[in-house]
Amino acid sequence: MRLDYITIFPDYFSALNVSLVGKAIETGLLGVGVHDLRQWTHDLHRTVDDTPVGGGAGMVMKPEPWGEALDDLLAADHGRSCLIITSPSGEPFTQAQAADLASYDRLLFACGRYEGIDARVAQWAAKSVEVRELSLGDYVLNGGEVAALAMTEAVVRLLPGVIGNPESLAEESYSGSLEHLLEYPVYTKPASWRGLDVPEILLSGHHAKIAQWRHDQAEELTRRRRPDLLGD
Ligand code: SAM
């Protein structure tokens, strides 16, 4: 998979070189380009923002540098592509979105700053590439870089060869057999720690009973923390 990021803060993306994503880059499973939006400006101050038309506080990202950046980056054919515009007013990014995006050959992330990107950029880009405006959650970040990194991690760990044991993806919150549930509590050794014991059933070796206990725990946790997932 090819990943491209357009940002005014390229340094954020040094985090890509760490852990499983870093390893996937090293082994060639991922190709990555981090692009400073300011390279597509033409004035002395490398301006990427301007005042909002219609009035109001803050600044808006100008369409011209974005248009030129996308023209340049989309000129290279990397197969089935999707432009992701990070935005708190986008569709919620979910595990299902992550699984779907993992099937693309290339993802481009547009990281907004200020009050966001001039709305015509998404309209224009949609003429030549699939565009999704995606939100990381119901809160406002200063910029799209952290959102792009979070989405990257959720997508990349689903690519074949990235996670050492693919079976660990089969039973996770929001996916596989736990599609509408949060994952049950997990434990490791020792069986007793600071007066707290691992639930006895997990030490029984009885696989069917353990599976039932985990399912009950997942349901109970979901009902308590995220009843919306159960459709209650
Ligand atoms: N004025 C915008 C609003 O009220 O919806 C907020 C703009 S925010 C300060 C600047 C940029 O941060 C956005 O253009 C977007 O790229 C990114 N951003 C902020 N919150 C986000 C979220 N929850 N999900 C994805 N991107 C977000």
Side-chain angles (χ1 to χ4, degrees):
M1 176 181 268
R2 166 85 194 177
L3 299 171
D4 286 288
Y5 304 87
I6 312 172
T7 171
I8 58 169
F9 293 113
D11 288 351
Y12 264 96
F13 294 92
S14 56
L16 289 172
N17 296 319
V18 178
S19 186
L20 293 177
V21 177
K23 216 166 145 197
I25 294 171
E26 238 176 67
T27 57
L29 277 174
L30 286 180
V32 171
V34 179
H35 313 278
D36 186 344
L37 179 68
R38 293 190 198 276
Q39 72 182 275
W40 287 284
T41 58
H42 303 288
D43 63 315
L44 188 65
H45 301 290
R46 307 177 86 203
T47 311
V48 292
D49 59 318
D50 207 338
T51 53
V53 176
M59 300 294 272
V60 174
M61 295 192 105
K62 291 157 66 65
E64 300 94 326
W66 281 104
E68 286 188 34
L70 291 171
D71 288 348
D72 278 0
L73 296 178
L74 290 171
D77 183 10
H78 287 282
R80 188 165 164 249
S81 303
C82 183
L83 171 66
I84 295 163
I85 300 184
T86 56
S87 167
S89 52
E91 265 182 65
F93 177 72
T94 59
Q95 187 66 31
Q97 287 265 6
D100 188 33
L101 290 170
S103 69
Y104 283 73
D105 301 311
R106 181 203 211 173
L107 303 177
L108 290 102
F109 290 89
C111 304
R113 281 272 155 178
Y114 312 109
E115 295 304 324
I117 304 170
D118 186 303
R120 290 169 293 180
V121 172
Q123 269 177 287
W124 175 260
K127 293 174 197 268
S128 56
V129 68
E130 183 184 335
V131 177
R132 294 191 197 183
E133 290 194 48
L134 294 180
S135 168
L136 196 60
D138 295 348
Y139 39 79
V140 179
L141 304 166
N142 287 334
E145 289 76 10
V146 167
L149 283 168
M151 291 175 197
T152 297
E153 193 153 305
V155 171
V156 167
R157 67 196 299 279
L158 301 179
L159 299 178
V162 171
I163 298 265
N165 179 1
E167 272 182 32
S168 52
L169 298 176
E171 213 171 70
E172 284 194 309
S173 301
Y174 313 113
S175 41
S177 58
L178 293 175
E179 196 172 347
H180 302 292
L181 298 176
L182 304 177
E183 196 182 55
Y184 43 80
V186 294
Y187 302 87
T188 183
K189 295 181 269 301
S192 189
W193 175 75
R194 296 189 177 182
L196 299 169
D197 295 337
V198 166
E200 229 175 279
I201 183 78
L202 297 178
L203 304 167
S204 69
H206 195 301
H207 297 304
K209 283 189 181 160
I210 291 173
Q212 184 60 50
W213 180 88
R214 286 178 165 164
H215 186 267
D216 294 347
Q217 290 287 313
E219 231 173 47
E220 199 274 318
L221 191 65
T222 309
R223 199 168 303 286
R224 194 153 33 91
R225 291 195 184 149
R226 293 290 308 277
D228 56 301
L229 293 176
L230 295 168
D232 285 1

